[in-house]
Amino acid sequence: MRFNHTAHRVAARHFEAVVEMFVDQLAFVILRRTDRSIWLRQPGGNIDLQFSRSETAHRDADKLRSQVSFLSDTPEAALRALATWAQARGLDAHVGAYSDREFYLDLPEAFVDWVLEAMRPELADYPVKA
């Protein structure tokens, strides 16, 4: 088997705003769309991201441990820029830190069971043997 995609739930009322953020701010392209879900990919990547509309009112208390993660030389600044973008569209946005090299953005009304993480590239420098 080969890894294909990961899926995360987005509150239905903020679904289009989250898709817009990934397309306009993070350069993802839309691969496929249904009434309930959308599949996205960042050019140059080989793993897809699926968002599914969710009507749940429950927000996972441990959602900080479930992330869609990005690498950035300036992770905190990158997430603060996304938070400003989201706030301009009426979304509550919070940037927090796991460490001085790992940060997260939560849109608590939109992200059901995950946060958007950004970390320094050296944290993902893993020796992988084929």
Side-chain angles (χ1 to χ4, degrees), residues 2 13-15 20 23-24 26 29 41-42 47 56 59 67 71 73-75 96-98 105 107 110 123:
R2 282 185 313 141
R13 69 187 183 115
H14 298 296
F15 188 84
E20 181 184 351
V23 170
D24 293 348
L26 296 168
V29 295
R41 183 182 296 167
Q42 203 172 37
I47 302 296
T56 186
R59 295 293 181 254
Q67 310 100 8
L71 300 176
D73 290 330
T74 57
Y98 298 117
L105 168 66
L107 304 181
L123 293 172

mmCIF file of all heavy atoms in Angstrom, residues 2 13-15 20 23-24 26 29 41-42 47 56 59 67 71 73-75 96-98 105 107 110 123:
data_model
loop_
_atom_site.group_PDB
_atom_site.id
_atom_site.type_symbol
_atom_site.label_atom_id
_atom_site.label_comp_id
_atom_site.label_asym_id
_atom_site.label_seq_id
_atom_site.Cartn_x
_atom_site.Cartn_y
_atom_site.Cartn_z
ATOM 1 N N ARG A 2 0.387 2.297 -0.628
ATOM 2 C CA ARG A 2 1.063 3.599 -0.615
ATOM 3 C C ARG A 2 0.146 4.626 0.033
ATOM 4 O O ARG A 2 -1.058 4.646 -0.221
ATOM 5 C CB ARG A 2 1.370 4.076 -2.038
ATOM 6 C CG ARG A 2 2.563 3.411 -2.661
ATOM 7 C CD ARG A 2 2.897 4.009 -4.008
ATOM 8 N NE ARG A 2 1.701 4.133 -4.836
ATOM 9 C CZ ARG A 2 1.444 5.158 -5.636
ATOM 10 N NH1 ARG A 2 2.292 6.139 -5.752
ATOM 11 N NH2 ARG A 2 0.342 5.203 -6.352
ATOM 12 N N ARG A 13 -20.307 25.378 8.451
ATOM 13 C CA ARG A 13 -20.546 26.809 8.200
ATOM 14 C C ARG A 13 -19.270 27.583 7.865
ATOM 15 O O ARG A 13 -19.337 28.686 7.348
ATOM 16 C CB ARG A 13 -21.309 27.450 9.342
ATOM 17 C CG ARG A 13 -20.568 27.571 10.621
ATOM 18 C CD ARG A 13 -21.508 28.066 11.733
ATOM 19 N NE ARG A 13 -20.780 28.262 12.950
ATOM 20 C CZ ARG A 13 -20.600 29.429 13.523
ATOM 21 N NH1 ARG A 13 -21.126 30.514 13.016
ATOM 22 N NH2 ARG A 13 -19.909 29.514 14.639
ATOM 23 N N HIS A 14 -18.102 27.009 8.148
ATOM 24 C CA HIS A 14 -16.828 27.666 7.834
ATOM 25 C C HIS A 14 -16.022 26.897 6.787
ATOM 26 O O HIS A 14 -14.862 27.221 6.530
ATOM 27 C CB HIS A 14 -15.997 27.851 9.105
ATOM 28 C CG HIS A 14 -16.655 28.715 10.119
ATOM 29 N ND1 HIS A 14 -16.926 30.047 9.906
ATOM 30 C CD2 HIS A 14 -17.131 28.422 11.352
ATOM 31 C CE1 HIS A 14 -17.524 30.546 10.965
ATOM 32 N NE2 HIS A 14 -17.666 29.578 11.855
ATOM 33 N N PHE A 15 -16.640 25.899 6.196
ATOM 34 C CA PHE A 15 -15.957 25.027 5.252
ATOM 35 C C PHE A 15 -15.332 25.812 4.101
ATOM 36 O O PHE A 15 -14.151 25.665 3.802
ATOM 37 C CB PHE A 15 -16.949 23.986 4.714
ATOM 38 C CG PHE A 15 -16.324 22.917 3.877
ATOM 39 C CD1 PHE A 15 -15.742 21.811 4.471
ATOM 40 C CD2 PHE A 15 -16.331 23.003 2.497
ATOM 41 C CE1 PHE A 15 -15.171 20.807 3.699
ATOM 42 C CE2 PHE A 15 -15.770 22.005 1.716
ATOM 43 C CZ PHE A 15 -15.180 20.908 2.326
ATOM 44 N N GLU A 20 -10.814 28.273 1.120
ATOM 45 C CA GLU A 20 -10.245 29.501 0.548
ATOM 46 C C GLU A 20 -8.864 29.785 1.143
ATOM 47 O O GLU A 20 -7.938 30.171 0.427
ATOM 48 C CB GLU A 20 -11.187 30.681 0.796
ATOM 49 C CG GLU A 20 -10.694 31.987 0.216
ATOM 50 C CD GLU A 20 -11.607 33.160 0.560
ATOM 51 O OE1 GLU A 20 -12.707 32.963 1.101
ATOM 52 O OE2 GLU A 20 -11.186 34.301 0.284
ATOM 53 N N VAL A 23 -6.360 27.377 -0.452
ATOM 54 C CA VAL A 23 -6.136 27.667 -1.873
ATOM 55 C C VAL A 23 -5.424 29.002 -2.053
ATOM 56 O O VAL A 23 -4.389 29.082 -2.728
ATOM 57 C CB VAL A 23 -7.472 27.621 -2.653
ATOM 58 C CG1 VAL A 23 -7.303 28.155 -4.068
ATOM 59 C CG2 VAL A 23 -8.029 26.207 -2.677
ATOM 60 N N ASP A 24 -5.945 30.053 -1.449
ATOM 61 C CA ASP A 24 -5.402 31.403 -1.683
ATOM 62 C C ASP A 24 -4.147 31.721 -0.882
ATOM 63 O O ASP A 24 -3.273 32.428 -1.366
ATOM 64 C CB ASP A 24 -6.470 32.460 -1.378
ATOM 65 C CG ASP A 24 -7.624 32.428 -2.347
ATOM 66 O OD1 ASP A 24 -7.523 31.755 -3.397
ATOM 67 O OD2 ASP A 24 -8.644 33.084 -2.059
ATOM 68 N N LEU A 26 -2.156 29.250 0.941
ATOM 69 C CA LEU A 26 -1.157 28.180 1.017
ATOM 70 C C LEU A 26 -0.924 27.489 -0.326
ATOM 71 O O LEU A 26 -0.224 26.487 -0.398
ATOM 72 C CB LEU A 26 -1.579 27.155 2.082
ATOM 73 C CG LEU A 26 -1.629 27.723 3.507
ATOM 74 C CD1 LEU A 26 -2.317 26.750 4.447
ATOM 75 C CD2 LEU A 26 -0.229 28.072 3.994
ATOM 76 N N VAL A 29 -4.214 23.327 -4.650
ATOM 77 C CA VAL A 29 -5.134 23.256 -5.785
ATOM 78 C C VAL A 29 -6.217 22.239 -5.450
ATOM 79 O O VAL A 29 -5.985 21.268 -4.715
ATOM 80 C CB VAL A 29 -4.421 22.876 -7.110
ATOM 81 C CG1 VAL A 29 -3.443 23.958 -7.528
ATOM 82 C CG2 VAL A 29 -3.723 21.544 -6.979
ATOM 83 N N ARG A 41 -4.312 19.521 -2.947
ATOM 84 C CA ARG A 41 -2.888 19.166 -2.966
ATOM 85 C C ARG A 41 -2.072 20.434 -3.177
ATOM 86 O O ARG A 41 -2.412 21.283 -3.977
ATOM 87 C CB ARG A 41 -2.580 18.174 -4.071
ATOM 88 C CG ARG A 41 -1.113 17.722 -4.068
ATOM 89 C CD ARG A 41 -0.785 16.769 -5.189
ATOM 90 N NE ARG A 41 -1.551 15.540 -5.024
ATOM 91 C CZ ARG A 41 -1.667 14.618 -5.982
ATOM 92 N NH1 ARG A 41 -1.087 14.792 -7.149
ATOM 93 N NH2 ARG A 41 -2.366 13.531 -5.765
ATOM 94 N N GLN A 42 -0.954 20.508 -2.497
ATOM 95 C CA GLN A 42 -0.012 21.607 -2.711
ATOM 96 C C GLN A 42 0.923 21.181 -3.834
ATOM 97 O O GLN A 42 1.479 20.080 -3.790
ATOM 98 C CB GLN A 42 0.758 21.877 -1.414
ATOM 99 C CG GLN A 42 1.326 23.262 -1.315
ATOM 100 C CD GLN A 42 1.907 23.528 0.060
ATOM 101 O OE1 GLN A 42 2.490 22.648 0.686
ATOM 102 N NE2 GLN A 42 1.761 24.750 0.525
ATOM 103 N N ILE A 47 1.046 13.974 -1.276
ATOM 104 C CA ILE A 47 0.022 13.546 -0.323
ATOM 105 C C ILE A 47 -1.124 14.553 -0.404
ATOM 106 O O ILE A 47 -0.905 15.759 -0.405
ATOM 107 C CB ILE A 47 0.581 13.503 1.115
ATOM 108 C CG1 ILE A 47 1.788 12.573 1.211
ATOM 109 C CG2 ILE A 47 -0.504 13.118 2.108
ATOM 110 C CD1 ILE A 47 1.488 11.123 0.925
ATOM 111 N N THR A 56 -20.940 18.535 13.607
ATOM 112 C CA THR A 56 -20.780 18.291 15.036
ATOM 113 C C THR A 56 -20.573 19.589 15.807
ATOM 114 O O THR A 56 -19.899 20.503 15.336
ATOM 115 C CB THR A 56 -19.606 17.322 15.317
ATOM 116 O OG1 THR A 56 -19.597 17.031 16.710
ATOM 117 C CG2 THR A 56 -18.265 17.916 14.944
ATOM 118 N N ARG A 59 -16.173 19.811 20.068
ATOM 119 C CA ARG A 59 -14.804 20.110 19.689
ATOM 120 C C ARG A 59 -13.902 19.281 20.578
ATOM 121 O O ARG A 59 -14.013 19.312 21.800
ATOM 122 C CB ARG A 59 -14.492 21.605 19.857
ATOM 123 C CG ARG A 59 -15.280 22.497 18.932
ATOM 124 C CD ARG A 59 -14.846 22.247 17.500
ATOM 125 N NE ARG A 59 -15.556 23.081 16.562
ATOM 126 C CZ ARG A 59 -16.511 22.661 15.752
ATOM 127 N NH1 ARG A 59 -16.906 21.421 15.783
ATOM 128 N NH2 ARG A 59 -17.092 23.469 14.912
ATOM 129 N N GLN A 67 -2.733 17.452 13.916
ATOM 130 C CA GLN A 67 -2.358 18.619 13.133
ATOM 131 C C GLN A 67 -2.301 18.343 11.640
ATOM 132 O O GLN A 67 -2.047 17.220 11.226
ATOM 133 C CB GLN A 67 -0.962 19.148 13.531
ATOM 134 C CG GLN A 67 -0.717 19.369 14.973
ATOM 135 C CD GLN A 67 0.065 18.243 15.614
ATOM 136 O OE1 GLN A 67 0.563 17.344 14.970
ATOM 137 N NE2 GLN A 67 0.160 18.294 16.927
ATOM 138 N N LEU A 71 6.127 23.117 7.073
ATOM 139 C CA LEU A 71 7.479 23.573 7.407
ATOM 140 C C LEU A 71 7.615 25.024 7.000
ATOM 141 O O LEU A 71 7.108 25.431 5.953
ATOM 142 C CB LEU A 71 8.520 22.723 6.675
ATOM 143 C CG LEU A 71 8.497 21.240 6.980
ATOM 144 C CD1 LEU A 71 9.519 20.510 6.117
ATOM 145 C CD2 LEU A 71 8.739 20.972 8.455
ATOM 146 N N ASP A 73 10.549 28.544 7.621
ATOM 147 C CA ASP A 73 11.691 29.158 8.296
ATOM 148 C C ASP A 73 11.223 30.144 9.361
ATOM 149 O O ASP A 73 11.963 30.442 10.295
ATOM 150 C CB ASP A 73 12.590 29.877 7.287
ATOM 151 C CG ASP A 73 13.324 28.902 6.382
ATOM 152 O OD1 ASP A 73 13.625 27.772 6.819
ATOM 153 O OD2 ASP A 73 13.582 29.262 5.216
ATOM 154 N N THR A 74 10.002 30.642 9.210
ATOM 155 C CA THR A 74 9.419 31.593 10.160
ATOM 156 C C THR A 74 8.011 31.103 10.550
ATOM 157 O O THR A 74 7.009 31.717 10.184
ATOM 158 C CB THR A 74 9.353 33.004 9.563
ATOM 159 O OG1 THR A 74 8.593 32.945 8.340
ATOM 160 C CG2 THR A 74 10.735 33.558 9.275
ATOM 161 N N PRO A 75 7.930 30.000 11.279
ATOM 162 C CA PRO A 75 6.629 29.388 11.535
ATOM 163 C C PRO A 75 5.649 30.264 12.300
ATOM 164 O O PRO A 75 4.463 30.322 11.950
ATOM 165 C CB PRO A 75 6.971 28.114 12.311
ATOM 166 C CG PRO A 75 8.336 28.327 12.861
ATOM 167 C CD PRO A 75 9.022 29.248 11.907
ATOM 168 N N GLY A 96 -0.679 29.562 19.063
ATOM 169 C CA GLY A 96 -0.017 29.094 20.269
ATOM 170 C C GLY A 96 1.296 28.427 19.907
ATOM 171 O O GLY A 96 1.656 28.334 18.733
ATOM 172 N N ALA A 97 2.006 27.956 20.925
ATOM 173 C CA ALA A 97 3.316 27.352 20.686
ATOM 174 C C ALA A 97 3.453 26.038 21.441
ATOM 175 O O ALA A 97 3.001 25.917 22.578
ATOM 176 C CB ALA A 97 4.422 28.308 21.129
ATOM 177 N N TYR A 98 4.067 25.057 20.779
ATOM 178 C CA TYR A 98 4.477 23.825 21.437
ATOM 179 C C TYR A 98 5.886 23.996 21.999
ATOM 180 O O TYR A 98 6.250 23.383 22.986
ATOM 181 C CB TYR A 98 4.489 22.652 20.456
ATOM 182 C CG TYR A 98 3.145 22.318 19.846
ATOM 183 C CD1 TYR A 98 2.945 22.428 18.478
ATOM 184 C CD2 TYR A 98 2.086 21.884 20.626
ATOM 185 C CE1 TYR A 98 1.729 22.097 17.903
ATOM 186 C CE2 TYR A 98 0.864 21.560 20.058
ATOM 187 C CZ TYR A 98 0.698 21.669 18.697
ATOM 188 O OH TYR A 98 -0.505 21.353 18.120
ATOM 189 N N LEU A 105 -1.938 27.098 14.808
ATOM 190 C CA LEU A 105 -3.059 28.013 14.607
ATOM 191 C C LEU A 105 -4.331 27.215 14.834
ATOM 192 O O LEU A 105 -4.509 26.146 14.238
ATOM 193 C CB LEU A 105 -3.054 28.567 13.178
ATOM 194 C CG LEU A 105 -4.316 29.303 12.726
ATOM 195 C CD1 LEU A 105 -4.522 30.592 13.513
ATOM 196 C CD2 LEU A 105 -4.262 29.575 11.229
ATOM 197 N N LEU A 107 -8.478 27.603 14.626
ATOM 198 C CA LEU A 107 -9.708 28.317 14.295
ATOM 199 C C LEU A 107 -10.798 27.502 14.980
ATOM 200 O O LEU A 107 -11.374 26.586 14.387
ATOM 201 C CB LEU A 107 -9.932 28.374 12.778
ATOM 202 C CG LEU A 107 -8.821 28.971 11.916
ATOM 203 C CD1 LEU A 107 -9.223 28.972 10.445
ATOM 204 C CD2 LEU A 107 -8.462 30.367 12.376
ATOM 205 N N ALA A 110 -14.005 26.472 13.377
ATOM 206 C CA ALA A 110 -13.905 25.823 12.066
ATOM 207 C C ALA A 110 -13.214 24.465 12.124
ATOM 208 O O ALA A 110 -13.689 23.502 11.531
ATOM 209 C CB ALA A 110 -13.168 26.737 11.083
ATOM 210 N N LEU A 123 13.263 20.305 12.200
ATOM 211 C CA LEU A 123 12.510 19.350 13.006
ATOM 212 C C LEU A 123 12.001 18.167 12.189
ATOM 213 O O LEU A 123 11.619 17.144 12.734
ATOM 214 C CB LEU A 123 11.340 20.048 13.711
ATOM 215 C CG LEU A 123 11.753 21.046 14.776
ATOM 216 C CD1 LEU A 123 10.540 21.819 15.280
ATOM 217 C CD2 LEU A 123 12.447 20.345 15.933
#
